[in-house]
Amino acid sequence: MRARVRAGDPDAFRELFDEHVRSVYNHAFRLTGSWSTAEDVVSLTFLEAWRLRDRVDTDADGGSLRPWLLGITTNVARNVRRAARRYDGALARLPRQEAVPDFAEEVTARIDDRERLALVRTALAALRKHEREVLALCVWSGLDYAEAAEALGIPVGTVRSRLSRARKKLHKLVAAGRIRPPGEDREPHAGHGQGEGDREIAVRSAQENTR
């Protein structure tokens, strides 16, 4: 048997497999603690045995090749465990992915988005161009009065007055029931371009839905 295995006799390897596969499998399981991993180790062990067949000692008085196979199994299992640790370590270093929302929730959100966009269009249609620009900069883009003035090339006072007119028109639309009622209407704090009321008037989260 040793001479035949060393010579690469396919029939000898089939006999070797049939005789020792159970021992190899059990040994692999004891080393890895996983039946599925043990199956992989068995396959790799016999592939490695074929690759290392020329190392079989033919002067061993016809002794069993079982110790030789289990030695290969041990090395293979060690390499498999090491590869698994590297893989687990690589996964642990990856950034955590955000939870994927339920598809039904996504559909509902899209319907809500369409409704909000329709309300936004209604609101914008009632405003003049300059008023729409100021509203877009101060409410949806989050610019303060000075930043909006710089963006438009106009005085800060003009920004304030245009935004004030836009807000008054939107309040009239609310009173007429054409858009959702705004939240608490407050002037922006010093250094900020809009108040919370402005964001509510702009139909709640319009910034995300009008990119």
Side-chain angles (χ1 to χ4, degrees), residues 34-180:
S34 167
W35 291 116
S36 60
T37 303
E39 291 176 356
D40 295 336
V41 171
V42 169
S43 299
L44 293 172
T45 293
F46 283 96
L47 287 173
E48 189 71 357
W50 174 264
R51 188 179 71 84
L52 299 176
R53 63 187 183 277
D54 60 346
R55 298 186 184 182
V56 172
D57 186 2
T58 57
D59 298 327
D61 298 329
S64 172
L65 286 172
R66 182 170 177 267
W68 177 68
L69 282 173
L70 295 184
I72 294 175
T73 305
T74 301
N75 290 331
V76 169
R78 185 183 300 125
N79 292 336
V80 168
R81 291 197 306 270
R82 186 181 300 117
R85 286 194 298 270
R86 288 197 297 266
Y87 179 77
D88 291 341
L91 287 181
R93 291 190 295 271
L94 291 176
R96 294 183 179 181
Q97 296 183 353
E98 297 182 358
V100 178
D102 182 76
F103 180 75
E105 294 180 358
E106 181 181 353
V107 171
T108 302
R110 289 180 179 177
I111 294 175
D112 290 342
D113 289 345
R114 286 197 295 269
E115 292 177 351
R116 290 178 182 135
L117 287 174
L119 293 172
V120 169
R121 293 191 193 99
T122 300
L124 292 180
L127 303 177
R128 295 181 179 178
K129 175 184 176 182
H130 296 319
E131 295 166 347
R132 288 198 300 267
E133 292 173 347
V134 170
L135 187 71
L137 290 173
C138 293
V139 176
W140 294 325
S141 296
L143 272 60
D144 61 29
Y145 292 136
E147 292 169 335
E150 180 181 355
L152 296 174
I154 58 178
V156 173
T158 303
V159 172
R160 289 179 180 272
S161 62
R162 290 179 181 177
L163 185 59
S164 177
R165 288 197 299 271
R167 292 174 61 192
K168 289 178 181 178
K169 289 182 180 180
L170 292 176
H171 278 300
K172 290 181 180 179
L173 288 176
V174 170
R178 296 178 60 186
I179 62 174
R180 296 176 184 175

Side-chain angles (χ1 to χ4, degrees), residues 17-40:
F17 180 88
D18 292 339
E19 183 178 358
H20 297 297
V21 63
R22 177 56 59 182
S23 293
V24 170
Y25 185 63
N26 289 337
H27 183 57
F29 173 75
R30 287 190 289 269
L31 293 176
T32 63
S34 167
W35 291 116
S36 60
T37 303
E39 291 176 356
D40 295 336

